[in-house]
Amino acid sequence: MADENQEIGGIHFPFPFPPYPIQKDFMAELYKVLEGGKIGIFESPTGTGKSLSLICGALSWLRDFEKKKLQAEALLLAPGSGPPSSEKNSLLTSSSCQEPTDTPRPAGEPDWVTEFVQKKEERDLVERLREEQKHEEEETEALLRLSREMLDAGTGPEQLEQLECGEEHLVLAEYESDEERRGSRVDEAEDDLEEEHITKIYYCSRTHSQLAQFVREVLKSPFGKETRLVSLGSRQTLCVNEDVKNLGSVQLMNDRCVDMQRSKREKNGTGEDKPKRKRQKIQTSCPFYNHEQMELLRDEILLEVKDMEQLVALGKEARACPYYGSRFAIPAAQLVVLPYPMLLHAATRQAAGIRLQGQVVIIDEAHNLIDTITNIHSTEVNGSQLCQAHSQLLQYMERYRKRLKAKNLMYIKQILYLLEKFVAVLGGNVKQNPTTQSLSQTGSELKSINDFLFQSQVDNINLFKVQRYLEKSMLSRKLFGFTECFGVVLPSLSDSQENRGLAGFQQFLKSLQSGPTEDSPEEGQAVALRPASPLMHIEAFLAALTTANQDGRVIVNRQGSVGQSSLKFLLLNPAVHFAQVVKECRAVVIAGGTMQPMSDFREQLLACSGVEAGRVVEFSCGHVIPPDNILPLIICSGPSNQQLEFTYQRRELPQMVEETGRILCNLCNVVPGGVVCFLPSYEYLRQVHAHWDKTGLLTRLSVRKKIFQEPKRASQVEQVLMAYSKCIMSCSHSEGHLTGALLLSVVGGKMSEGINFSDDLGRCVVMVGMPYPNIKSPELQEKMAYLNQTLPRTQGQPLPGTVLIENLCMKAINQSIGRAIRHQRDFASIVLLDHRYARPSILAKLPAWIRDRVEVKATFGPAFAAVRKFHREKSHPSLV
């Protein structure tokens, strides 16, 4: 296919074919957003070529940006023949990828003023450092006291001898806090050695399949051969070590991978042959973690565009790790493709080597961006994990207490105290088995962060320092290695804290001396089932507790036993995590097929992130289909004149369920191919199906359409879709009574997102009722209260919390009804069953390409006639 070089507003946009007018508008607006350092919210319906528009628009901007930067550098290198300094500054400003300073320096400010300000800042810094030093001295004194206490209660020589079995790597290194290392320049020196990151575009989407599709679009574009692209993924996706892949669990894979790297470094770092316990899982290094090979793999990645499958195949062939090889390629890449969590979670970004300063970020499929950020940063730990972590950590401390420095012991004791108090809040005792501790009081409590810390009696502990300690010391990984070596001893009902301790642990060690068995393949399942690192989950929970009091809540959920009970952190303000992205980046683009209602993005995410309204640009384009290829209808009453109102109180009434069945029977008689019907929940789908079966409506429906139901299990979705598709294809080639299939689906389920019902697979989409979320949910009530308190209320408008409920409902609807139209020649009818859809506030939140063509039908007769006429004309145009 010949490339088309489009010139729009003086800018050249290479494109693989003549673009639609809406694609031209999209690219031009995208270019302006990136050039102006704006935040763009872009809506382009599925089937309008959104991915190609993003690729060609963004990479055209990057091409021009790099040219300007080269021009600016050339001017600097040739000062004698260059333009006036003002022109140089202009070029440098336009090509700079650095964020402009928040407080610009006044023009013409005297040097002595600048010098005075700098000296004052230095004096303030010195004072602050002195205060911190004084605090550190006081803490050191306490540590020395603790150290003496710990050494007095130290272990005997027997334990020191046991450390000759290759356990040195399990002992924590001496810990230095950030304050102690403040004077050191080591970190800065390491940063200087890192490769410089060129200006690039980070593109992220929800799933690996969506990312793979995007990479294929890049290959088809005019930029496919010249763009340095790297795809990032999880270890689950990119690991090529079969032993690690077979572990299955992401947490187990992560822990094992880091463990194997450590083993490799230890092997390379010592020439002594020390007697070691034969533990293959701990001591075997990864053959694919080879720096020389990974650097060669990096060069191959940057040479030409590769998708995930090609990257994995190349890694196997080169005997190099694709997971780390792809990260080595980030600095020199122009386009980095990655999943949501890797970009939106700060710690994951840092671990992957992603730097956002002055870069461009494009977040695609962003309709659920707010929920995604909330879910990534909301975390839950159960009573079993808390008790298990306490047991493991206590045994670890007892074994190595004489080898651990005072600061390590102090922090371990603090963490043990935290775990003990968290279990107590659940109503349990950390000294007893969590699975056998029954609770007299059950139910859920929702608390502010401060209230939870006070109730837990841990408000005197500096959680920021504990979090930093866990991160720097890698205690979770040490503990994982420890439990891999020696297993886990859980507390029992009869054991007391005094009797348990080290004695119980040594008994356990003796039971292992007959020979290690966990390496045998027969017991692989048992190993995988054992919780790998409960402290990892707890670490995330502790980090969440450092969130500002007003931005999160803690849900204390007490069930039948301590083990089943849990502590859940609920993030109320996703903007606190998104603010860093918008602050560091040059420009951010939030894009999707259905972004309505956009007010959520503006108010909950951008305004709360400190983004000024003038920096936000909204762009929404129509569809590429002709206006008469879509028939959106709002039907207010059914065939028996029953008003359609599927509220939670009315939707289960027999007359409502039967009216729905009669409507579908009529539609299935005149709609060819596939009909997709969305219902509010799996439970409601089950009730409706059972009622239709009982009343004979299901038999009547089956005369014209074979009936399929969306399965609850994700593993069965593909099988159901294949059968549904085959049925429709076979019916299109036969002249029987059966004209296609009816698929009963669930809003927000597996088939309401990411599944394309193009052409005959979705000639009619029916939405039964309005899927409002459960307003009685404590989490939702707290979110509503939070928005009512923090967002401004417009006079005459509903409260922000009420708007949230309506917006959640409409987002789910818009995602579902957008499944039908997938390309320019496609056609479909969209039927909304509920009189509430006719309300102006609801109509305003439908996608523009649907809203502009929707027809409201008060009775069923005219609606049915319109559907019959539409499908007769579209299916048999020659008969019209």
Side-chain angles (χ1 to χ4, degrees):
M1 198 178 292
D3 292 350
E4 299 285 334
N5 202 14
Q6 300 292 320
E7 185 165 332
I8 305 165
I11 302 164
H12 293 284
F13 291 100
F15 214 76
F17 50 79
Y20 303 127
I22 60 172
Q23 288 178 311
K24 290 181 180 181
D25 295 342
F26 188 107
M27 290 188 291
E29 195 64 31
L30 176 63
Y31 192 101
K32 285 180 191 173
V33 166
L34 302 188
E35 183 65 16
K38 305 283 188 182
I39 309 294
I41 305 173
F42 282 70
E43 182 181 53
S44 182
T46 309
T48 56
K50 169 171 58 71
S51 295
L52 265 179
S53 300
L54 282 169
I55 291 163
C56 296
L59 291 178
S60 293
W61 172 82
L62 187 61
R63 171 203 64 203
D64 293 347
F65 174 86
E66 288 173 346
K67 282 181 185 175
K68 288 178 187 175
K69 193 173 181 182
L70 287 172
Q71 288 173 9
E73 288 170 356
L75 287 170
L76 284 173
L77 292 171
S81 57
S85 59
S86 60
E87 190 177 334
K88 283 185 194 176
N89 290 340
S90 172
L91 272 169
L92 283 168
T93 303
S94 68
S95 66
S96 172
C97 66
Q98 298 301 316
E99 183 193 5
T101 54
D102 294 332
T103 52
R105 183 179 159 186
E109 187 180 80
D111 291 341
W112 68 268
V113 173
T114 308
E115 191 178 343
F116 175 78
V117 171
Q118 287 175 347
K119 283 184 177 177
K120 186 178 184 305
E121 288 174 353
E122 287 170 8
R123 283 197 301 273
D124 292 344
L125 179 62
V126 169
E127 283 298 315
R128 198 159 59 249
L129 287 172
R130 281 177 182 162
E131 285 294 318
E132 288 173 359
Q133 188 177 7
K134 185 182 176 185
H135 178 73
E136 280 297 308
E137 285 171 1
E138 291 171 358
E139 192 176 87
T140 304
E141 233 176 276
L143 285 170
L144 286 170
R145 284 197 303 273
L146 179 64
S147 179
R148 284 192 290 271
E149 289 171 17
M150 289 294 179
L151 288 171
D152 289 342
T155 54
E158 179 189 348
Q159 196 168 14
L160 293 177
E161 289 170 12
Q162 286 180 342
L163 293 189
E164 294 300 313
C165 299
E167 291 180 56
E168 291 81 2
H169 65 275
L170 299 177
V171 182
L172 288 163
E174 185 172 0
Y175 175 70
E176 285 185 343
S177 65
D178 289 349
E179 290 84 354
E180 291 170 326
R181 298 171 60 189
R182 195 179 293 279
S184 171
R185 309 290 292 180
V186 174
D187 290 344
E188 289 182 26
E190 285 177 1
D191 288 344
D192 292 340
L193 294 172
E194 287 185 19
E195 191 176 346
E196 184 186 354
H197 285 235
I198 66 161
T199 301
K200 59 176 65 32
I201 295 164
Y202 286 98
Y203 171 91
C204 69
S205 193
R206 288 186 309 116
T207 64
H208 284 296
S209 60
Q210 287 169 340
L211 294 173
Q213 177 61 32
F214 179 80
V215 172
R216 288 193 287 273
E217 291 290 326
V218 173
L219 278 166
K220 288 192 289 185
S221 79
F223 295 92
K225 292 182 180 177
E226 60 188 55
T227 302
R228 297 191 300 278
L229 180 148
V230 58
S231 295
L232 302 181
S234 64
R235 284 184 174 90
Q236 260 193 327
T237 310
L238 292 175
C239 180
V240 290
N241 186 321
E242 290 302 322
D243 291 338
V244 177
K245 279 182 76 72
N246 289 339
L247 293 171
S249 157
V250 179
Q251 195 63 64
L252 281 169
M253 288 178 69
N254 289 341
D255 288 342
R256 181 60 52 79
C257 177
V258 173
D259 216 40
M260 293 174 97
Q261 290 172 49
R262 184 199 63 216
S263 297
K264 190 175 185 75
R265 283 194 294 271
E266 285 174 359
K267 283 184 178 181
N268 293 338
T270 178
E272 298 177 29
D273 293 328
K274 293 185 179 181
K276 294 184 180 180
R277 188 182 296 268
K278 292 181 181 178
R279 304 274 178 185
Q280 289 297 316
K281 290 182 180 176
I282 294 296
Q283 300 302 331
T284 304
S285 61
C286 180
F288 297 94
Y289 191 75
N290 180 304
H291 273 270
E292 189 177 332
Q293 291 302 111
M294 287 191 294
E295 284 173 359
L296 290 173
L297 179 61
R298 171 200 64 192
D299 296 341
E300 281 289 328
I301 291 168
L302 295 171
L303 195 61
E304 60 180 23
V305 175
K306 293 174 182 65
D307 61 21
M308 289 281 188
E309 288 76 15
Q310 291 171 318
L311 185 55
V312 169
L314 193 63
K316 287 178 179 176
E317 185 184 332
R319 302 285 295 171
C321 176
Y323 178 77
Y324 285 104
S326 58
R327 278 153 179 71
F328 288 0
I330 292 173
Q334 294 170 307
L335 180 58
V336 179
V337 178
L338 68 167
Y340 273 2
M342 207 170 284
L343 181 98
L344 299 173
H345 191 266
T348 310
R349 275 201 310 271
Q350 187 180 359
I354 294 166
R355 294 183 180 180
L356 296 182
Q357 186 67 44
Q359 309 292 13
V360 169
V361 163
I362 296 175
I363 303 172
D364 202 1
E365 302 298 332
H367 53 275
N368 282 336
L369 179 60
I370 294 172
D371 292 339
T372 301
I373 297 171
T374 301
N375 292 336
I376 287 172
H377 295 92
S378 296
T379 181
E380 186 172 13
V381 292
N382 60 45
S384 290
Q385 289 171 329
L386 291 166
C387 289
Q388 191 177 27
H390 186 278
S391 176
Q392 290 176 4
L393 192 55
L394 185 65
Q395 292 163 24
Y396 177 89
M397 185 182 77
E398 293 291 350
R399 181 165 180 79
Y400 302 123
R401 67 188 305 161
K402 198 162 186 181
R403 296 187 175 266
L404 295 172
K405 299 294 182 183
K407 186 158 281 194
N408 280 320
L409 289 167
M410 181 191 77
Y411 278 114
I412 288 174
K413 289 196 78 164
Q414 284 187 359
I415 295 164
L416 286 169
Y417 178 77
L418 286 167
L419 296 171
E420 184 180 341
K421 291 300 180 182
F422 289 163
V423 172
V425 165
L426 291 174
N429 187 334
V430 79
K431 300 175 185 179
Q432 298 176 358
N433 192 317
T435 57
T436 55
Q437 286 186 74
S438 58
L439 299 178
S440 55
Q441 290 185 338
T442 58
S444 293
E445 276 185 277
L446 199 143
K447 299 180 175 294
S448 70
I449 297 171
N450 287 348
D451 286 347
F452 171 75
L453 295 176
F454 283 129
Q455 185 187 343
S456 305
Q457 299 175 352
V458 297
D459 52 295
N460 60 323
I461 290 180
N462 189 330
L463 291 178
F464 289 94
K465 284 195 168 187
V466 172
Q467 181 197 358
R468 217 160 33 236
Y469 171 75
L470 285 165
E471 180 188 331
K472 300 286 185 186
S473 69
M474 295 190 291
L475 175 61
S476 299
R477 298 201 187 282
K478 298 283 185 184
L479 198 58
F480 170 69
F482 175 72
T483 53
E484 274 256 298
C485 261
F486 304 115
V488 181
V489 182
L490 282 172
S492 67
L493 281 167
S494 58
D495 286 344
S496 68
Q497 183 75 20
E498 293 76 30
N499 293 336
R500 191 159 45 87
L502 184 60
F505 185 56
Q506 286 175 334
Q507 273 189 339
F508 178 72
L509 289 178
K510 285 176 185 176
S511 72
L512 289 179
Q513 286 175 358
S514 58
T517 58
E518 65 259 43
D519 290 339
S520 59
E522 295 79 25
E523 298 195 8
Q525 278 188 321
V527 173
L529 289 172
R530 189 179 72 235
S533 187
L535 193 59
M536 282 279 187
H537 299 283
I538 294 156
E539 196 174 328
F541 181 71
L542 290 173
L545 291 178
T546 62
T547 305
N549 185 56
Q550 70 273 16
D551 292 334
R553 297 290 181 270
V554 178
I555 300 169
V556 181
N557 183 24
R558 299 183 182 93
Q559 296 300 319
S561 69
V562 171
Q564 294 171 318
S565 302
S566 66
L567 300 173
K568 181 179 180 180
F569 174 80
L570 174 67
L571 180 69
L572 295 177
N573 182 15
V576 295
H577 296 285
F578 197 63
Q580 190 179 359
V581 175
V582 294
K583 183 182 177 185
E584 291 184 7
C585 289
R586 174 197 177 99
V588 177
V589 173
I590 303 169
T594 49
M595 298 294 284
Q596 294 293 342
M598 289 188 184
S599 58
D600 281 356
F601 298 103
R602 285 196 313 270
E603 294 163 8
Q604 289 185 46
L605 205 56
L606 300 178
C608 292
S609 296
V611 178
E612 294 179 2
R615 196 185 171 197
V616 181
V617 175
E618 291 181 13
F619 176 87
S620 182
C621 63
H623 215 295
V624 294
I625 58 166
D628 58 352
N629 273 24
I630 180 175
L631 179 67
L633 295 175
I634 295 170
I635 303 180
C636 300
S637 59
S640 60
N641 291 323
Q642 175 79 40
Q643 187 186 46
L644 300 178
E645 185 178 340
F646 292 88
T647 58
Y648 190 75
Q649 294 78 16
R650 287 178 51 82
R651 70 186 188 191
E652 292 177 17
L653 296 174
Q655 59 265 36
M656 291 300 297
V657 176
E658 287 165 23
E659 194 79 333
T660 306
R662 284 190 285 268
I663 291 169
L664 282 176
C665 278
N666 280 283
L667 293 176
C668 288
N669 283 333
V670 297
V671 176
V675 176
V676 184
C677 176
F678 287 102
L679 295 109
S681 68
Y682 285 104
E683 177 59 24
Y684 188 59
L685 189 157
R686 186 193 64 76
Q687 290 174 6
V688 166
H689 191 274
H691 188 86
W692 289 347
D693 190 24
K694 185 179 174 182
T695 58
L697 269 166
L698 208 59
T699 307
R700 285 170 55 193
L701 278 167
S702 302
V703 172
R704 305 296 285 179
K705 305 287 183 187
K706 186 173 180 180
I707 299 169
F708 295 87
Q709 291 185 70
E710 177 178 324
K712 272 193 172 183
R713 291 185 182 176
S715 58
Q716 297 174 343
V717 170
E718 191 65 33
Q719 183 183 345
V720 172
L721 282 174
M722 286 292 290
Y724 172 75
S725 178
K726 280 181 182 177
C727 175
I728 291 169
M729 292 303 109
S730 63
C731 290
S732 65
H733 299 301
S734 62
E735 293 292 333
H737 288 291
L738 208 63
T739 61
L742 168 64
L743 178 60
L744 300 174
S745 303
V746 175
V747 178
K750 325 286 187 305
M751 297 182 182
S752 63
E753 289 189 37
I755 306 292
N756 297 338
F757 295 107
S758 60
D759 300 319
D760 280 348
L761 295 182
R763 287 302 179 204
C764 180
V765 173
V766 181
M767 178 67 63
V768 177
M770 299 185 70
Y772 283 102
N774 179 12
I775 199 168
K776 293 182 180 178
S777 157
E779 291 97 326
L780 191 55
Q781 286 183 343
E782 198 64 27
K783 179 77 174 179
M784 290 170 68
Y786 172 79
L787 293 178
N788 289 337
Q789 290 170 6
T790 56
L791 293 185
R793 182 185 178 185
T794 310
Q795 195 170 4
Q797 296 297 316
L799 287 167
T802 308
V803 174
L804 169 73
I805 297 294
E806 196 170 89
N807 287 354
L808 288 172
C809 171
M810 292 310 297
K811 278 182 186 294
I813 290 165
N814 291 341
Q815 272 302 299
S816 300
I817 61 181
R819 300 295 94 204
I821 303 292
R822 314 307 289 178
H823 58 82
Q824 191 178 21
R825 292 180 298 278
D826 207 353
F827 66 90
S829 53
I830 296 171
V831 179
L832 306 174
L833 300 181
D834 201 306
H835 74 93
R836 292 174 293 172
Y837 281 108
R839 293 174 183 170
S841 63
I842 300 296
L843 280 172
K845 291 173 181 176
L846 287 169
W849 61 280
I850 294 176
R851 182 176 65 240
D852 295 343
R853 303 166 197 181
V854 74
E855 298 176 29
V856 179
K857 303 292 185 183
T859 55
F860 184 72
F864 177 72
V867 172
R868 182 174 54 192
K869 181 173 180 286
F870 173 81
H871 284 286
R872 188 170 62 236
E873 289 176 355
K874 292 299 170 188
S875 301
H876 307 286
S878 58
L879 300 178
V880 179

